[in-house]
């Protein structure tokens, strides 16, 4: 059986190799390794024109929305908070179009950290611009913590009803987008995972499963991508 092709979103950043300094398409290796370990073949997707988003998805069996810079609050109608790093509009626009095209095509997708935020915003949801101000602590930015997971969800079926996770973030879900359901929560009730109802596999998680030995969530993505 052919191994599913999994598109992975990437950064567009200045990079140095030898005496060269050029703009480069970058991706932390952990994403590609986790996809390969789960039985898929990783394909890196450069953040190019949003008009070409559908073309990027042709031939792919699944999409992984990788982590990175926080989304531009203008995407969900909020002013920019000076405490948040500068957004990356080119990546935001491309991934928004990519996410919507994947949902429309019924393509399995997994959003990791920023990817969860993108999935929520793509469905019309909003984010908390600066999470520490709302929860009055900074544990989401630094500490490993326990989450509770709905056992009936795709996420719960993959990893169980409780998990220890790490995924530093300064923003989080505020209002859920259309047809999205919260399926995991931290002890302060901040949403840690969402799923799109009626879709065969459209999951967003606030943590980074690719950085751990537990690859079950990415294996679930690969399983959903198989014919």
């Amino acid at each position: 059986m052919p191994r599913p092709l999994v598109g992975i979103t990437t950064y567009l950043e200045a990079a140095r190799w030898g005496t060269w300094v050029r703009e480069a398409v970058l991706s932390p290796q952990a994403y590609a390794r986790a996809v390969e370990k789960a039985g898929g073949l990783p394909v890196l997707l450069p953040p190019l024109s949003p008009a070409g988003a559908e073309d990027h998805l042709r031939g792919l069996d699944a999409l992984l929305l990788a982590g990175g810079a926080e989304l531009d609050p203008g995407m969900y109608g909020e002013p920019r908070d000076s405490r948040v790093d500068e957004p990356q509009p080119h990546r935001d626009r491309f991934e928004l179009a990519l996410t919507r095209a994947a949902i429309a095509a019924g393509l399995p997708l997994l959003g990791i950290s920023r990817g969860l935020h993108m999935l929520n915003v793509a469905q019309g949801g909003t984010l908390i611009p600066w999470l520490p101000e709302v929860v009055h602590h900074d544990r989401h930015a630094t500490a490993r913590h326990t989450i509770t997971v709905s056992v009936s969800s795709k996420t719960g079926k993959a990893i169980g009803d409780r998990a220890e996770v790490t995924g530093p973030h300064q923003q989080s879900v505020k209002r859920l987008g259309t047809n999205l359901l919260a399926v995991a929560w931290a002890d302060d009730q901040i949403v840690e995972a969402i799923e799109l109802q009626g879709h065969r596999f459209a999951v967003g998680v606030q943590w980074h499963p690719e950085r751990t030995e537990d690859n079950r969530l990415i294996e679930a993505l690969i399983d959903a991508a198989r014919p």
Side-chain angles (χ1 to χ4, degrees):
M1 182 181 296
R3 299 169 71 184
L5 291 176
V6 181
I8 302 173
T9 57
T10 60
Y11 302 74
L12 196 61
E13 303 280 359
R16 178 188 296 274
W17 58 98
T19 59
W20 296 83
V21 179
R22 293 288 187 274
E23 198 167 47
V25 175
L26 302 174
S27 172
Q29 194 175 28
Y31 292 111
R33 283 181 170 170
V35 166
E36 184 181 43
K37 181 180 176 182
L41 287 175
V43 179
L44 301 186
L45 303 177
L48 301 175
S49 169
E54 290 185 17
D55 292 333
H56 278 269
L57 296 178
R58 289 197 181 99
L60 295 180
D61 300 301
L63 175 65
L64 192 154
L65 299 168
E70 303 286 11
L71 303 189
D72 183 353
M75 297 175 67
Y76 49 92
E78 294 283 346
R80 185 175 170 271
D81 192 305
S82 61
R83 293 168 292 189
V84 179
D85 290 341
E86 285 286 337
Q88 298 180 336
H90 61 283
R91 186 178 176 192
D92 289 345
R93 290 191 295 267
F94 175 72
E95 290 185 11
L96 182 65
L98 196 69
T99 302
R100 288 175 171 166
I103 290 169
L107 196 72
L109 70 92
L110 174 63
I112 293 177
S113 191
R114 167 193 161 92
L116 177 151
H117 299 170
M118 183 58 74
L119 174 57
N120 191 49
V121 170
Q123 289 295 105
T126 63
L127 304 176
I128 298 169
W130 188 252
L131 186 57
E133 189 171 65
V134 173
V135 295
H136 307 296
H137 64 75
D138 63 357
R139 294 198 304 274
H140 290 281
T142 58
R144 187 172 178 84
H145 56 283
T146 301
I147 61 169
T148 302
V149 187
S150 167
V151 292
S152 61
S153 66
K154 292 179 173 66
T155 305
K157 289 174 182 175
I159 67 171
D161 64 346
R162 292 177 70 81
E164 291 284 330
V165 300
T166 303
H169 59 105
Q170 303 283 12
Q171 297 183 340
S172 188
V173 169
K174 183 176 183 181
R175 186 186 74 243
L176 283 166
T178 303
N179 294 327
L180 287 169
L181 187 67
V183 299
W185 305 264
D187 60 5
D188 56 8
Q189 298 308 300
I190 291 299
V191 173
E192 291 278 342
I194 60 176
E195 296 183 3
L196 182 59
Q197 299 176 84
H199 194 285
R200 59 173 166 158
F201 193 95
V203 174
V205 298
Q206 191 62 80
W207 65 93
H208 283 270
E210 83 285 357
R211 296 179 184 174
T212 71
E213 293 300 314
D214 186 350
N215 212 35
R216 290 177 294 174
L217 201 52
I218 295 173
E219 288 170 359
L221 173 69
I222 301 303
D223 288 343
R226 298 188 191 279

